[in-house]
């Protein structure tokens, strides 16, 4: 007596099913791609990176019981963090070791059309932004103190060379607590605080 052959259950996909799936996915991506604002993601990532550097400088000031000075070299897209051991408000070399940070490619310190605090537009605004001229022209500077405060309210502005309004970002440092938050400029030119 012959046993009937059992048909095996089919596992996996056929080539036709895979081609249809890939085709549908490609069509959906083609439809969605023009609506994705890649500059927004790039600028948000740049702001978060700068924000984390500010928070790290504040933490080091508290932990090391020494002032930390941040100087914004707007024409080089860099900022410098220095441990101000002698407390004179500038980098003297020697034991005062600087750390340099460069903004991501395509991101710049920029003067926005309007500021979040209503001040005259500049690379950095606020009463806590002092001028540091130890390296040439007067660059905006903010100091973090061992008690957790900063030299005052300071806002630093970032943007791209495309100068789309929605590309502008503002990083704000509060004076008394040194809390660091960032803002986005909307397409209509108004500022909105970012929810992180």
């Amino acid at each position: 007596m012959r046993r009937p052959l059992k048909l095996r259950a089919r596992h996996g996909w056929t080539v036709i099913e895979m081609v249809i799936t890939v085709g549908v996915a490609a069509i959906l991506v083609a439809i969605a791609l023009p609506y994705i604002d890649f500059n927004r993601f790039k600028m948000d990532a740049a702001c978060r990176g700068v924000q984390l550097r500010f928070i790290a400088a504040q933490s080091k000031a508290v932990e090391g019981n020494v002032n930390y000075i941040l100087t914004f070299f707007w024409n080089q897209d860099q900022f410098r963090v220095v441990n101000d051991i002698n407390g004179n408000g500038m980098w003297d070399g020697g034991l005062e070791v600087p750390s340099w940070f460069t903004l991501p490619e395509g991101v710049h310190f920029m003067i926005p059309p309007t500021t979040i605090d209503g001040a005259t537009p500049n690379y950095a605004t606020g009463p806590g932004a002092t001028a540091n001229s130890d390296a040439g022209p007067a660059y905006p500077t903010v100091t973090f103190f061992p008690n957790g405060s900063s030299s005052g309210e300071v806002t630093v502005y970032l943007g791209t060379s495309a100068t789309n309004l929605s590309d502008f970002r503002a990083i704000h440092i509060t004076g008394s607590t040194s809390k660091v938050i960032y803002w986005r400029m909307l397409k209509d030119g108004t500022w909105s605080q970012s929810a992180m």
Side-chain angles (χ1 to χ4, degrees):
M1 177 177 217
R2 284 182 91 176
R3 292 183 176 174
L5 293 175
K6 289 185 179 180
L7 296 176
R8 289 185 183 174
R10 186 178 66 132
H11 298 287
W13 293 24
T14 65
V15 173
I16 293 174
E17 290 170 331
M18 288 175 43
V19 168
I20 291 171
T21 303
V22 170
V24 169
I27 291 169
L28 292 174
V29 167
I31 291 170
L33 206 54
Y35 298 101
I36 298 174
D37 186 359
F38 291 104
N39 261 358
R40 177 179 174 158
F41 297 125
K42 175 181 179 178
M43 291 305 297
D44 287 347
C47 269
R48 286 187 185 102
V50 172
Q51 180 187 36
L52 290 174
R53 299 291 186 191
F54 290 2
I55 292 169
Q58 181 202 18
S59 296
K60 287 180 180 178
V62 172
E63 291 169 12
N65 198 30
V66 64
N67 295 347
Y68 269 75
I69 304 168
L70 279 74
T71 305
F72 306 100
F73 294 83
W74 46 264
N75 56 350
Q76 300 169 29
D77 296 326
Q78 292 182 315
F79 61 98
R80 181 184 67 199
V81 180
V82 173
N83 56 341
D84 186 21
I85 294 172
N86 63 11
N88 69 348
M90 60 178 29
W91 175 43
D92 295 317
L95 294 176
E96 297 182 347
V97 180
S99 297
W100 289 88
F101 301 99
T102 303
L103 297 177
E105 186 176 343
V107 178
H108 311 285
F109 290 114
M110 295 194 76
I111 299 174
T114 61
T115 61
I116 65 168
D117 55 6
T120 302
N122 205 339
Y123 298 100
T125 61
T130 59
N132 186 344
S133 58
D134 68 5
Y139 293 108
T141 298
V142 62
T143 303
F144 289 109
F145 301 115
N147 65 1
S149 67
S150 68
S151 52
E153 302 278 329
V154 177
T155 308
V156 179
Y157 297 93
L158 305 176
T160 65
S161 55
T163 63
N164 295 324
L165 291 179
S166 60
D167 289 348
F168 281 102
R169 298 292 183 274
I171 303 170
H172 181 74
I173 304 167
T174 60
S176 58
T177 62
S178 296
K179 183 176 179 182
V180 182
I181 53 177
Y182 84 88
W183 296 64
R184 289 185 185 105
M185 182 175 273
L186 305 177
K187 290 181 180 181
D188 63 0
T190 60
W191 288 97
S192 173
Q193 186 175 332
S194 173
M196 289 188 56

